[in-house]
Amino acid sequence: MKAKGSREIRYPHRHTVRFSEAEEAGLREQATSAGLTLSAYLRRRLFGGRPIMARTDDQTTRELRRIGGLLKHNFETVRATGRREDLEEMNRTLWALRQAIEALIHTA
């Protein structure tokens, strides 16, 4: 049963592609990690579209950004205390978060 407001796309054409066992396993793992069916994953890889990012990477990126925002919000409070060690530690933490986010984005 089709959900109200959803559009059903039909794919009437089929093509046969042969893969080794290892390739098949790798494709299925990547599709599952991206939260897609194997067919949807292959179509997206073949024809472009949105970059394929594993759900866990997407969730991790959002969480890292959220934590970075909280740290940035507290930055002024720490600055007001005047403790240089605290400021340096926060700066290192924010830098590490930014590096982690960039690494996740560029590996997708």
Side-chain angles (χ1 to χ4, degrees):
M1 182 175 191
K2 190 166 85 167
K4 185 178 180 181
S6 70
R7 290 184 279 183
E8 185 177 323
I9 299 173
R10 297 194 184 269
Y11 298 100
H13 302 283
R14 292 179 183 222
H15 296 277
T16 301
V17 180
R18 296 179 185 266
F19 297 106
S20 70
E21 292 294 326
E23 291 169 333
E24 170 77 10
L27 285 170
R28 287 198 180 279
E29 182 179 322
Q30 291 169 9
T32 300
S33 176
L36 299 169
T37 64
L38 183 57
S39 295
Y41 178 79
L42 289 171
R43 276 193 297 277
R44 195 173 296 173
R45 288 289 306 258
L46 287 169
F47 302 119
R50 281 191 336 222
I52 299 170
M53 181 183 277
R55 283 184 179 174
T56 55
D57 287 351
D58 190 38
Q59 291 169 342
T60 302
T61 301
R62 279 196 307 272
E63 182 64 12
L64 287 171
R65 285 185 172 147
R66 185 187 74 78
I67 292 169
L70 292 172
L71 283 171
K72 188 175 177 182
H73 178 72
N74 289 322
F75 192 74
E76 288 302 318
T77 305
V78 172
R79 185 182 295 183
T81 66
R83 289 192 44 175
R84 184 165 180 79
E85 304 84 33
D86 292 341
L87 286 172
E88 289 172 356
E89 180 65 26
M90 279 194 80
N91 213 10
R92 284 191 299 273
T93 304
L94 286 170
W95 185 85
L97 280 170
R98 176 172 278 154
Q99 294 300 313
I101 292 167
E102 289 297 319
L104 284 172
I105 289 170
H106 292 299
T107 59

